[in-house]
Amino acid sequence: MYSTILALHSLVRWFVLISLLFALFRAYNGWFSKKSFSSFDNSVRHWTATIAHIQLVFGLFLYFISPVIDYFLHNYKEAVHQREIRFFGMEHSLMMITAIIIITIGSAKTKRRQTDNEKFKTMAIWFTIGLLIILTSVPWAFWSLVSRPYFRPF
Ligand code: HEM
């Protein structure tokens, strides 16, 4: 169970990143080229937030079943000084929840904006902030202190 959710969480990270990049491409292009906010753009907005929510569910689930988090919560005083344990116990989880809240607010605000240009601009700004937080909080394989594979086998 744990290894399956971990592999799914690792895989869904790519869907989160690809959907955000595509949404941002549509948003900046629409904003600067003064395009009309089509129903396709609205679907892109909706699905980008939904994919982030799916990742949130996997992440929260992992938080309850991960042996790393179990160690963190039961040995807090020592674990908080161990880089990798603290990263997953605090930094990764809090930063990712923050990013997903920002994406959710951005999506809701975009929906309520009156003009097409305001919709593109709102989506561009909020999703950019969300993406930047996510990019800095993924345990990339090239990181030296906390490193996880790009693809984890099921
Ligand atoms: C966009 C949001 C997120 C992305 C892109 C993301 C990405 C990742 C990646 C790439 C890993 C490493 C997987 C591996 O070892 O192969 C990971 C691990 C983990 N994530 Fe996330 N994550 C996100 C959100 C969250 C959230 C919201 C939580 C919890 C509230 C969370 C909890 C965890 C935990 C506990 C682990 C490590 C578990 C372990 O090693 O036992 N993640 N995440």
PDB file of all heavy atoms in Angstrom, residues 6 9 13 55 58-60 62-63 69 83-100 133-134 136-140 143 146 148:
ATOM      1  N   LEU A   6       3.252   5.927  -2.725  1.00  0.00           N
ATOM      2  CA  LEU A   6       4.474   6.710  -2.940  1.00  0.00           C
ATOM      3  C   LEU A   6       4.794   6.811  -4.439  1.00  0.00           C
ATOM      4  O   LEU A   6       5.125   7.893  -4.949  1.00  0.00           O
ATOM      5  CB  LEU A   6       5.645   6.067  -2.179  1.00  0.00           C
ATOM      6  CG  LEU A   6       6.946   6.859  -2.126  1.00  0.00           C
ATOM      7  CD1 LEU A   6       6.746   8.192  -1.417  1.00  0.00           C
ATOM      8  CD2 LEU A   6       8.040   6.052  -1.422  1.00  0.00           C
ATOM      9  N   HIS A   9       2.255   9.123  -6.003  1.00  0.00           N
ATOM     10  CA  HIS A   9       2.561  10.518  -5.625  1.00  0.00           C
ATOM     11  C   HIS A   9       3.740  11.032  -6.450  1.00  0.00           C
ATOM     12  O   HIS A   9       3.750  12.181  -6.897  1.00  0.00           O
ATOM     13  CB  HIS A   9       2.886  10.542  -4.129  1.00  0.00           C
ATOM     14  CG  HIS A   9       2.977  11.896  -3.521  1.00  0.00           C
ATOM     15  ND1 HIS A   9       1.910  12.757  -3.421  1.00  0.00           N
ATOM     16  CD2 HIS A   9       4.031  12.559  -2.957  1.00  0.00           C
ATOM     17  CE1 HIS A   9       2.301  13.869  -2.816  1.00  0.00           C
ATOM     18  NE2 HIS A   9       3.581  13.788  -2.534  1.00  0.00           N
ATOM     19  N   ARG A  13       3.244  13.996  -9.617  1.00  0.00           N
ATOM     20  CA  ARG A  13       4.034  15.249  -9.631  1.00  0.00           C
ATOM     21  C   ARG A  13       4.225  15.761 -11.058  1.00  0.00           C
ATOM     22  O   ARG A  13       4.153  16.956 -11.342  1.00  0.00           O
ATOM     23  CB  ARG A  13       5.365  14.962  -8.924  1.00  0.00           C
ATOM     24  CG  ARG A  13       6.566  15.747  -9.356  1.00  0.00           C
ATOM     25  CD  ARG A  13       7.562  14.960 -10.176  1.00  0.00           C
ATOM     26  NE  ARG A  13       7.956  13.664  -9.719  1.00  0.00           N
ATOM     27  CZ  ARG A  13       9.171  13.386  -9.213  1.00  0.00           C
ATOM     28  NH1 ARG A  13      10.036  14.336  -9.036  1.00  0.00           N
ATOM     29  NH2 ARG A  13       9.508  12.150  -8.905  1.00  0.00           N
ATOM     30  N   GLN A  55      -3.161  15.378  -6.062  1.00  0.00           N
ATOM     31  CA  GLN A  55      -1.831  15.223  -5.451  1.00  0.00           C
ATOM     32  C   GLN A  55      -1.883  15.521  -3.947  1.00  0.00           C
ATOM     33  O   GLN A  55      -1.200  14.875  -3.161  1.00  0.00           O
ATOM     34  CB  GLN A  55      -0.826  16.149  -6.167  1.00  0.00           C
ATOM     35  CG  GLN A  55       0.608  16.038  -5.678  1.00  0.00           C
ATOM     36  CD  GLN A  55       1.268  14.709  -6.066  1.00  0.00           C
ATOM     37  OE1 GLN A  55       0.619  13.669  -6.154  1.00  0.00           O
ATOM     38  NE2 GLN A  55       2.557  14.746  -6.286  1.00  0.00           N
ATOM     39  N   PHE A  58      -3.174  12.382  -2.232  1.00  0.00           N
ATOM     40  CA  PHE A  58      -2.105  11.367  -2.116  1.00  0.00           C
ATOM     41  C   PHE A  58      -1.090  11.789  -1.049  1.00  0.00           C
ATOM     42  O   PHE A  58      -0.622  10.968  -0.262  1.00  0.00           O
ATOM     43  CB  PHE A  58      -1.395  11.167  -3.456  1.00  0.00           C
ATOM     44  CG  PHE A  58      -2.176  10.340  -4.449  1.00  0.00           C
ATOM     45  CD1 PHE A  58      -2.291  10.732  -5.776  1.00  0.00           C
ATOM     46  CD2 PHE A  58      -2.808   9.160  -4.061  1.00  0.00           C
ATOM     47  CE1 PHE A  58      -3.004   9.978  -6.695  1.00  0.00           C
ATOM     48  CE2 PHE A  58      -3.528   8.395  -4.968  1.00  0.00           C
ATOM     49  CZ  PHE A  58      -3.628   8.804  -6.284  1.00  0.00           C
ATOM     50  N   GLY A  59      -0.745  13.070  -1.036  1.00  0.00           N
ATOM     51  CA  GLY A  59       0.243  13.578  -0.072  1.00  0.00           C
ATOM     52  C   GLY A  59      -0.247  13.424   1.365  1.00  0.00           C
ATOM     53  O   GLY A  59       0.495  12.961   2.232  1.00  0.00           O
ATOM     54  N   LEU A  60      -1.512  13.782   1.602  1.00  0.00           N
ATOM     55  CA  LEU A  60      -2.065  13.675   2.963  1.00  0.00           C
ATOM     56  C   LEU A  60      -2.135  12.209   3.397  1.00  0.00           C
ATOM     57  O   LEU A  60      -1.833  11.870   4.534  1.00  0.00           O
ATOM     58  CB  LEU A  60      -3.460  14.316   3.021  1.00  0.00           C
ATOM     59  CG  LEU A  60      -3.491  15.844   2.938  1.00  0.00           C
ATOM     60  CD1 LEU A  60      -4.929  16.346   2.839  1.00  0.00           C
ATOM     61  CD2 LEU A  60      -2.802  16.475   4.142  1.00  0.00           C
ATOM     62  N   LEU A  62      -0.190   9.819   2.301  1.00  0.00           N
ATOM     63  CA  LEU A  62       1.189   9.407   2.578  1.00  0.00           C
ATOM     64  C   LEU A  62       1.622   9.853   3.968  1.00  0.00           C
ATOM     65  O   LEU A  62       2.331   9.142   4.673  1.00  0.00           O
ATOM     66  CB  LEU A  62       2.135  10.069   1.560  1.00  0.00           C
ATOM     67  CG  LEU A  62       2.624   9.273   0.364  1.00  0.00           C
ATOM     68  CD1 LEU A  62       3.637  10.092  -0.399  1.00  0.00           C
ATOM     69  CD2 LEU A  62       3.229   7.940   0.787  1.00  0.00           C
ATOM     70  N   TYR A  63       1.175  11.044   4.349  1.00  0.00           N
ATOM     71  CA  TYR A  63       1.581  11.605   5.639  1.00  0.00           C
ATOM     72  C   TYR A  63       1.164  10.674   6.788  1.00  0.00           C
ATOM     73  O   TYR A  63       1.843  10.589   7.791  1.00  0.00           O
ATOM     74  CB  TYR A  63       0.982  13.006   5.837  1.00  0.00           C
ATOM     75  CG  TYR A  63       1.805  13.857   6.779  1.00  0.00           C
ATOM     76  CD1 TYR A  63       2.854  14.640   6.291  1.00  0.00           C
ATOM     77  CD2 TYR A  63       1.564  13.863   8.146  1.00  0.00           C
ATOM     78  CE1 TYR A  63       3.629  15.403   7.148  1.00  0.00           C
ATOM     79  CE2 TYR A  63       2.335  14.625   9.007  1.00  0.00           C
ATOM     80  CZ  TYR A  63       3.367  15.391   8.501  1.00  0.00           C
ATOM     81  OH  TYR A  63       4.143  16.141   9.349  1.00  0.00           O
ATOM     82  N   ILE A  69       7.448   9.748   8.155  1.00  0.00           N
ATOM     83  CA  ILE A  69       6.650  10.676   8.965  1.00  0.00           C
ATOM     84  C   ILE A  69       6.389  10.078  10.350  1.00  0.00           C
ATOM     85  O   ILE A  69       6.395  10.796  11.350  1.00  0.00           O
ATOM     86  CB  ILE A  69       5.306  10.996   8.252  1.00  0.00           C
ATOM     87  CG1 ILE A  69       5.557  11.533   6.837  1.00  0.00           C
ATOM     88  CG2 ILE A  69       4.471  11.975   9.073  1.00  0.00           C
ATOM     89  CD1 ILE A  69       6.373  12.789   6.743  1.00  0.00           C
ATOM     90  N   ARG A  83      18.049  16.221   8.299  1.00  0.00           N
ATOM     91  CA  ARG A  83      17.619  16.981   7.127  1.00  0.00           C
ATOM     92  C   ARG A  83      16.466  16.337   6.352  1.00  0.00           C
ATOM     93  O   ARG A  83      15.457  16.966   6.097  1.00  0.00           O
ATOM     94  CB  ARG A  83      18.831  17.192   6.201  1.00  0.00           C
ATOM     95  CG  ARG A  83      18.569  18.079   5.022  1.00  0.00           C
ATOM     96  CD  ARG A  83      18.426  19.519   5.450  1.00  0.00           C
ATOM     97  NE  ARG A  83      17.995  20.376   4.340  1.00  0.00           N
ATOM     98  CZ  ARG A  83      16.732  20.583   4.005  1.00  0.00           C
ATOM     99  NH1 ARG A  83      15.758  19.986   4.649  1.00  0.00           N
ATOM    100  NH2 ARG A  83      16.427  21.393   3.005  1.00  0.00           N
ATOM    101  N   GLU A  84      16.638  15.073   5.976  1.00  0.00           N
ATOM    102  CA  GLU A  84      15.648  14.419   5.111  1.00  0.00           C
ATOM    103  C   GLU A  84      14.326  14.196   5.849  1.00  0.00           C
ATOM    104  O   GLU A  84      13.239  14.407   5.285  1.00  0.00           O
ATOM    105  CB  GLU A  84      16.202  13.088   4.588  1.00  0.00           C
ATOM    106  CG  GLU A  84      15.213  12.405   3.659  1.00  0.00           C
ATOM    107  CD  GLU A  84      15.834  11.304   2.826  1.00  0.00           C
ATOM    108  OE1 GLU A  84      17.063  11.171   2.820  1.00  0.00           O
ATOM    109  OE2 GLU A  84      15.064  10.579   2.180  1.00  0.00           O
ATOM    110  N   ILE A  85      14.430  13.803   7.110  1.00  0.00           N
ATOM    111  CA  ILE A  85      13.212  13.525   7.890  1.00  0.00           C
ATOM    112  C   ILE A  85      12.437  14.835   8.096  1.00  0.00           C
ATOM    113  O   ILE A  85      11.216  14.885   7.933  1.00  0.00           O
ATOM    114  CB  ILE A  85      13.587  12.920   9.272  1.00  0.00           C
ATOM    115  CG1 ILE A  85      14.542  11.744   9.125  1.00  0.00           C
ATOM    116  CG2 ILE A  85      12.323  12.551  10.048  1.00  0.00           C
ATOM    117  CD1 ILE A  85      13.954  10.482   8.610  1.00  0.00           C
ATOM    118  N   ARG A  86      13.166  15.891   8.453  1.00  0.00           N
ATOM    119  CA  ARG A  86      12.504  17.179   8.687  1.00  0.00           C
ATOM    120  C   ARG A  86      11.879  17.711   7.388  1.00  0.00           C
ATOM    121  O   ARG A  86      10.794  18.285   7.383  1.00  0.00           O
ATOM    122  CB  ARG A  86      13.511  18.206   9.234  1.00  0.00           C
ATOM    123  CG  ARG A  86      12.812  19.478   9.725  1.00  0.00           C
ATOM    124  CD  ARG A  86      13.802  20.541  10.147  1.00  0.00           C
ATOM    125  NE  ARG A  86      14.537  21.075   9.014  1.00  0.00           N
ATOM    126  CZ  ARG A  86      15.853  21.315   9.032  1.00  0.00           C
ATOM    127  NH1 ARG A  86      16.567  21.072  10.099  1.00  0.00           N
ATOM    128  NH2 ARG A  86      16.459  21.806   7.959  1.00  0.00           N
ATOM    129  N   PHE A  87      12.580  17.489   6.274  1.00  0.00           N
ATOM    130  CA  PHE A  87      12.066  17.966   4.980  1.00  0.00           C
ATOM    131  C   PHE A  87      10.666  17.399   4.708  1.00  0.00           C
ATOM    132  O   PHE A  87       9.732  18.149   4.395  1.00  0.00           O
ATOM    133  CB  PHE A  87      13.029  17.572   3.848  1.00  0.00           C
ATOM    134  CG  PHE A  87      12.516  17.926   2.474  1.00  0.00           C
ATOM    135  CD1 PHE A  87      12.586  19.228   2.002  1.00  0.00           C
ATOM    136  CD2 PHE A  87      11.916  16.961   1.672  1.00  0.00           C
ATOM    137  CE1 PHE A  87      12.085  19.557   0.746  1.00  0.00           C
ATOM    138  CE2 PHE A  87      11.411  17.291   0.409  1.00  0.00           C
ATOM    139  CZ  PHE A  87      11.505  18.593  -0.044  1.00  0.00           C
ATOM    140  N   PHE A  88      10.509  16.071   4.848  1.00  0.00           N
ATOM    141  CA  PHE A  88       9.198  15.485   4.561  1.00  0.00           C
ATOM    142  C   PHE A  88       8.197  15.739   5.682  1.00  0.00           C
ATOM    143  O   PHE A  88       7.015  15.937   5.435  1.00  0.00           O
ATOM    144  CB  PHE A  88       9.332  13.983   4.263  1.00  0.00           C
ATOM    145  CG  PHE A  88       9.955  13.719   2.917  1.00  0.00           C
ATOM    146  CD1 PHE A  88      11.222  13.176   2.812  1.00  0.00           C
ATOM    147  CD2 PHE A  88       9.278  14.056   1.758  1.00  0.00           C
ATOM    148  CE1 PHE A  88      11.808  12.959   1.565  1.00  0.00           C
ATOM    149  CE2 PHE A  88       9.853  13.848   0.510  1.00  0.00           C
ATOM    150  CZ  PHE A  88      11.120  13.290   0.418  1.00  0.00           C
ATOM    151  N   GLY A  89       8.688  15.771   6.924  1.00  0.00           N
ATOM    152  CA  GLY A  89       7.791  15.983   8.057  1.00  0.00           C
ATOM    153  C   GLY A  89       7.212  17.390   8.119  1.00  0.00           C
ATOM    154  O   GLY A  89       6.066  17.577   8.531  1.00  0.00           O
ATOM    155  N   MET A  90       8.019  18.385   7.693  1.00  0.00           N
ATOM    156  CA  MET A  90       7.556  19.775   7.809  1.00  0.00           C
ATOM    157  C   MET A  90       7.584  20.536   6.476  1.00  0.00           C
ATOM    158  O   MET A  90       6.555  20.942   5.971  1.00  0.00           O
ATOM    159  CB  MET A  90       8.438  20.547   8.803  1.00  0.00           C
ATOM    160  CG  MET A  90       8.278  20.084  10.223  1.00  0.00           C
ATOM    161  SD  MET A  90       9.529  20.786  11.290  1.00  0.00           S
ATOM    162  CE  MET A  90       9.023  22.460  11.326  1.00  0.00           C
ATOM    163  N   GLU A  91       8.803  20.736   5.963  1.00  0.00           N
ATOM    164  CA  GLU A  91       8.971  21.683   4.858  1.00  0.00           C
ATOM    165  C   GLU A  91       8.171  21.311   3.610  1.00  0.00           C
ATOM    166  O   GLU A  91       7.381  22.108   3.112  1.00  0.00           O
ATOM    167  CB  GLU A  91      10.462  21.813   4.525  1.00  0.00           C
ATOM    168  CG  GLU A  91      11.242  22.414   5.663  1.00  0.00           C
ATOM    169  CD  GLU A  91      12.694  21.985   5.718  1.00  0.00           C
ATOM    170  OE1 GLU A  91      13.168  21.358   4.746  1.00  0.00           O
ATOM    171  OE2 GLU A  91      13.352  22.260   6.726  1.00  0.00           O
ATOM    172  N   HIS A  92       8.385  20.085   3.135  1.00  0.00           N
ATOM    173  CA  HIS A  92       7.702  19.642   1.913  1.00  0.00           C
ATOM    174  C   HIS A  92       6.185  19.736   2.078  1.00  0.00           C
ATOM    175  O   HIS A  92       5.497  20.336   1.241  1.00  0.00           O
ATOM    176  CB  HIS A  92       8.121  18.205   1.603  1.00  0.00           C
ATOM    177  CG  HIS A  92       7.423  17.583   0.442  1.00  0.00           C
ATOM    178  ND1 HIS A  92       7.732  17.869  -0.867  1.00  0.00           N
ATOM    179  CD2 HIS A  92       6.392  16.687   0.388  1.00  0.00           C
ATOM    180  CE1 HIS A  92       6.936  17.169  -1.664  1.00  0.00           C
ATOM    181  NE2 HIS A  92       6.108  16.460  -0.942  1.00  0.00           N
ATOM    182  N   SER A  93       5.687  19.178   3.163  1.00  0.00           N
ATOM    183  CA  SER A  93       4.234  19.124   3.345  1.00  0.00           C
ATOM    184  C   SER A  93       3.626  20.521   3.468  1.00  0.00           C
ATOM    185  O   SER A  93       2.628  20.834   2.806  1.00  0.00           O
ATOM    186  CB  SER A  93       3.900  18.288   4.580  1.00  0.00           C
ATOM    187  OG  SER A  93       4.594  17.073   4.525  1.00  0.00           O
ATOM    188  N   LEU A  94       4.240  21.380   4.301  1.00  0.00           N
ATOM    189  CA  LEU A  94       3.669  22.728   4.505  1.00  0.00           C
ATOM    190  C   LEU A  94       3.754  23.577   3.236  1.00  0.00           C
ATOM    191  O   LEU A  94       2.791  24.275   2.870  1.00  0.00           O
ATOM    192  CB  LEU A  94       4.391  23.444   5.655  1.00  0.00           C
ATOM    193  CG  LEU A  94       4.078  22.891   7.046  1.00  0.00           C
ATOM    194  CD1 LEU A  94       4.902  23.599   8.114  1.00  0.00           C
ATOM    195  CD2 LEU A  94       2.585  23.045   7.369  1.00  0.00           C
ATOM    196  N   MET A  95       4.900  23.507   2.554  1.00  0.00           N
ATOM    197  CA  MET A  95       5.060  24.300   1.322  1.00  0.00           C
ATOM    198  C   MET A  95       4.082  23.841   0.238  1.00  0.00           C
ATOM    199  O   MET A  95       3.483  24.659  -0.468  1.00  0.00           O
ATOM    200  CB  MET A  95       6.498  24.189   0.799  1.00  0.00           C
ATOM    201  CG  MET A  95       7.518  24.841   1.688  1.00  0.00           C
ATOM    202  SD  MET A  95       7.298  26.611   1.841  1.00  0.00           S
ATOM    203  CE  MET A  95       8.191  27.174   0.412  1.00  0.00           C
ATOM    204  N   MET A  96       3.901  22.516   0.120  1.00  0.00           N
ATOM    205  CA  MET A  96       3.004  21.998  -0.919  1.00  0.00           C
ATOM    206  C   MET A  96       1.545  22.334  -0.606  1.00  0.00           C
ATOM    207  O   MET A  96       0.777  22.678  -1.509  1.00  0.00           O
ATOM    208  CB  MET A  96       3.177  20.491  -1.070  1.00  0.00           C
ATOM    209  CG  MET A  96       4.508  20.102  -1.662  1.00  0.00           C
ATOM    210  SD  MET A  96       4.892  20.986  -3.188  1.00  0.00           S
ATOM    211  CE  MET A  96       6.183  19.963  -3.863  1.00  0.00           C
ATOM    212  N   ILE A  97       1.168  22.266   0.675  1.00  0.00           N
ATOM    213  CA  ILE A  97      -0.208  22.638   1.039  1.00  0.00           C
ATOM    214  C   ILE A  97      -0.413  24.124   0.708  1.00  0.00           C
ATOM    215  O   ILE A  97      -1.440  24.509   0.138  1.00  0.00           O
ATOM    216  CB  ILE A  97      -0.488  22.340   2.539  1.00  0.00           C
ATOM    217  CG1 ILE A  97      -0.587  20.821   2.748  1.00  0.00           C
ATOM    218  CG2 ILE A  97      -1.772  23.018   3.012  1.00  0.00           C
ATOM    219  CD1 ILE A  97      -0.706  20.379   4.192  1.00  0.00           C
ATOM    220  N   THR A  98       0.590  24.949   1.030  1.00  0.00           N
ATOM    221  CA  THR A  98       0.503  26.389   0.714  1.00  0.00           C
ATOM    222  C   THR A  98       0.334  26.595  -0.795  1.00  0.00           C
ATOM    223  O   THR A  98      -0.529  27.373  -1.231  1.00  0.00           O
ATOM    224  CB  THR A  98       1.785  27.117   1.197  1.00  0.00           C
ATOM    225  OG1 THR A  98       1.972  26.831   2.575  1.00  0.00           O
ATOM    226  CG2 THR A  98       1.705  28.612   0.986  1.00  0.00           C
ATOM    227  N   ALA A  99       1.155  25.896  -1.582  1.00  0.00           N
ATOM    228  CA  ALA A  99       1.085  26.044  -3.046  1.00  0.00           C
ATOM    229  C   ALA A  99      -0.295  25.657  -3.570  1.00  0.00           C
ATOM    230  O   ALA A  99      -0.868  26.352  -4.424  1.00  0.00           O
ATOM    231  CB  ALA A  99       2.166  25.183  -3.704  1.00  0.00           C
ATOM    232  N   ILE A 100      -0.839  24.571  -3.032  1.00  0.00           N
ATOM    233  CA  ILE A 100      -2.138  24.090  -3.530  1.00  0.00           C
ATOM    234  C   ILE A 100      -3.255  25.045  -3.101  1.00  0.00           C
ATOM    235  O   ILE A 100      -4.198  25.285  -3.860  1.00  0.00           O
ATOM    236  CB  ILE A 100      -2.377  22.621  -3.110  1.00  0.00           C
ATOM    237  CG1 ILE A 100      -1.322  21.735  -3.781  1.00  0.00           C
ATOM    238  CG2 ILE A 100      -3.780  22.159  -3.485  1.00  0.00           C
ATOM    239  CD1 ILE A 100      -1.235  20.315  -3.271  1.00  0.00           C
ATOM    240  N   ILE A 133       6.576  27.757  -5.857  1.00  0.00           N
ATOM    241  CA  ILE A 133       6.666  27.096  -4.540  1.00  0.00           C
ATOM    242  C   ILE A 133       6.853  25.588  -4.737  1.00  0.00           C
ATOM    243  O   ILE A 133       7.685  24.961  -4.079  1.00  0.00           O
ATOM    244  CB  ILE A 133       5.417  27.399  -3.681  1.00  0.00           C
ATOM    245  CG1 ILE A 133       5.339  28.897  -3.365  1.00  0.00           C
ATOM    246  CG2 ILE A 133       5.443  26.592  -2.380  1.00  0.00           C
ATOM    247  CD1 ILE A 133       4.073  29.325  -2.651  1.00  0.00           C
ATOM    248  N   ILE A 134       6.092  25.016  -5.681  1.00  0.00           N
ATOM    249  CA  ILE A 134       6.203  23.571  -5.927  1.00  0.00           C
ATOM    250  C   ILE A 134       7.609  23.208  -6.413  1.00  0.00           C
ATOM    251  O   ILE A 134       8.236  22.269  -5.922  1.00  0.00           O
ATOM    252  CB  ILE A 134       5.121  23.108  -6.935  1.00  0.00           C
ATOM    253  CG1 ILE A 134       3.743  23.159  -6.260  1.00  0.00           C
ATOM    254  CG2 ILE A 134       5.398  21.691  -7.442  1.00  0.00           C
ATOM    255  CD1 ILE A 134       2.569  22.937  -7.190  1.00  0.00           C
ATOM    256  N   THR A 136      10.381  24.594  -5.859  1.00  0.00           N
ATOM    257  CA  THR A 136      11.414  24.664  -4.814  1.00  0.00           C
ATOM    258  C   THR A 136      11.186  23.628  -3.709  1.00  0.00           C
ATOM    259  O   THR A 136      12.041  23.478  -2.834  1.00  0.00           O
ATOM    260  CB  THR A 136      11.449  26.064  -4.153  1.00  0.00           C
ATOM    261  OG1 THR A 136      10.144  26.362  -3.651  1.00  0.00           O
ATOM    262  CG2 THR A 136      11.872  27.141  -5.121  1.00  0.00           C
ATOM    263  N   SER A 137      10.060  22.911  -3.743  1.00  0.00           N
ATOM    264  CA  SER A 137       9.763  21.980  -2.647  1.00  0.00           C
ATOM    265  C   SER A 137       9.702  20.516  -3.079  1.00  0.00           C
ATOM    266  O   SER A 137       9.381  19.649  -2.259  1.00  0.00           O
ATOM    267  CB  SER A 137       8.430  22.370  -1.995  1.00  0.00           C
ATOM    268  OG  SER A 137       8.442  23.739  -1.659  1.00  0.00           O
ATOM    269  N   VAL A 138       9.948  20.242  -4.358  1.00  0.00           N
ATOM    270  CA  VAL A 138      10.013  18.846  -4.814  1.00  0.00           C
ATOM    271  C   VAL A 138      11.411  18.311  -4.463  1.00  0.00           C
ATOM    272  O   VAL A 138      12.397  19.007  -4.667  1.00  0.00           O
ATOM    273  CB  VAL A 138       9.782  18.766  -6.353  1.00  0.00           C
ATOM    274  CG1 VAL A 138      10.154  17.384  -6.882  1.00  0.00           C
ATOM    275  CG2 VAL A 138       8.341  19.079  -6.709  1.00  0.00           C
ATOM    276  N   PRO A 139      11.496  17.061  -3.919  1.00  0.00           N
ATOM    277  CA  PRO A 139      12.824  16.486  -3.632  1.00  0.00           C
ATOM    278  C   PRO A 139      13.480  15.976  -4.925  1.00  0.00           C
ATOM    279  O   PRO A 139      13.481  14.778  -5.217  1.00  0.00           O
ATOM    280  CB  PRO A 139      12.488  15.339  -2.671  1.00  0.00           C
ATOM    281  CG  PRO A 139      11.095  14.937  -3.020  1.00  0.00           C
ATOM    282  CD  PRO A 139      10.390  16.175  -3.505  1.00  0.00           C
ATOM    283  N   TRP A 140      14.002  16.887  -5.712  1.00  0.00           N
ATOM    284  CA  TRP A 140      14.547  16.549  -7.037  1.00  0.00           C
ATOM    285  C   TRP A 140      15.714  15.570  -6.937  1.00  0.00           C
ATOM    286  O   TRP A 140      16.495  15.636  -5.985  1.00  0.00           O
ATOM    287  CB  TRP A 140      15.005  17.819  -7.763  1.00  0.00           C
ATOM    288  CG  TRP A 140      13.864  18.731  -8.112  1.00  0.00           C
ATOM    289  CD1 TRP A 140      13.596  19.944  -7.568  1.00  0.00           C
ATOM    290  CD2 TRP A 140      12.827  18.496  -9.077  1.00  0.00           C
ATOM    291  NE1 TRP A 140      12.460  20.481  -8.128  1.00  0.00           N
ATOM    292  CE2 TRP A 140      11.966  19.608  -9.054  1.00  0.00           C
ATOM    293  CE3 TRP A 140      12.542  17.428  -9.950  1.00  0.00           C
ATOM    294  CZ2 TRP A 140      10.839  19.707  -9.870  1.00  0.00           C
ATOM    295  CZ3 TRP A 140      11.412  17.534 -10.765  1.00  0.00           C
ATOM    296  CH2 TRP A 140      10.580  18.665 -10.723  1.00  0.00           C
ATOM    297  N   TRP A 143      19.121  17.054  -6.244  1.00  0.00           N
ATOM    298  CA  TRP A 143      19.426  17.686  -4.962  1.00  0.00           C
ATOM    299  C   TRP A 143      20.417  16.806  -4.197  1.00  0.00           C
ATOM    300  O   TRP A 143      20.324  15.586  -4.234  1.00  0.00           O
ATOM    301  CB  TRP A 143      18.158  17.817  -4.113  1.00  0.00           C
ATOM    302  CG  TRP A 143      17.336  19.027  -4.411  1.00  0.00           C
ATOM    303  CD1 TRP A 143      17.478  19.890  -5.444  1.00  0.00           C
ATOM    304  CD2 TRP A 143      16.216  19.492  -3.640  1.00  0.00           C
ATOM    305  NE1 TRP A 143      16.512  20.863  -5.375  1.00  0.00           N
ATOM    306  CE2 TRP A 143      15.734  20.637  -4.271  1.00  0.00           C
ATOM    307  CE3 TRP A 143      15.591  19.038  -2.492  1.00  0.00           C
ATOM    308  CZ2 TRP A 143      14.649  21.358  -3.794  1.00  0.00           C
ATOM    309  CZ3 TRP A 143      14.512  19.745  -2.009  1.00  0.00           C
ATOM    310  CH2 TRP A 143      14.046  20.898  -2.660  1.00  0.00           C
ATOM    311  N   VAL A 146      18.347  16.140   0.014  1.00  0.00           N
ATOM    312  CA  VAL A 146      17.154  15.278  -0.028  1.00  0.00           C
ATOM    313  C   VAL A 146      16.902  14.960  -1.487  1.00  0.00           C
ATOM    314  O   VAL A 146      16.518  15.826  -2.260  1.00  0.00           O
ATOM    315  CB  VAL A 146      15.912  15.996   0.548  1.00  0.00           C
ATOM    316  CG1 VAL A 146      14.725  15.050   0.561  1.00  0.00           C
ATOM    317  CG2 VAL A 146      16.189  16.533   1.931  1.00  0.00           C
ATOM    318  N   ARG A 148      15.196  12.264  -4.358  1.00  0.00           N
ATOM    319  CA  ARG A 148      14.310  11.136  -4.675  1.00  0.00           C
ATOM    320  C   ARG A 148      14.294  10.957  -6.194  1.00  0.00           C
ATOM    321  O   ARG A 148      14.501  11.919  -6.940  1.00  0.00           O
ATOM    322  CB  ARG A 148      12.892  11.401  -4.172  1.00  0.00           C
ATOM    323  CG  ARG A 148      12.766  11.428  -2.642  1.00  0.00           C
ATOM    324  CD  ARG A 148      13.118  10.080  -2.046  1.00  0.00           C
ATOM    325  NE  ARG A 148      13.034  10.060  -0.611  1.00  0.00           N
ATOM    326  CZ  ARG A 148      11.938   9.730   0.075  1.00  0.00           C
ATOM    327  NH1 ARG A 148      10.832   9.428  -0.564  1.00  0.00           N
ATOM    328  NH2 ARG A 148      11.953   9.698   1.377  1.00  0.00           N
TER     329      ARG A 148
END
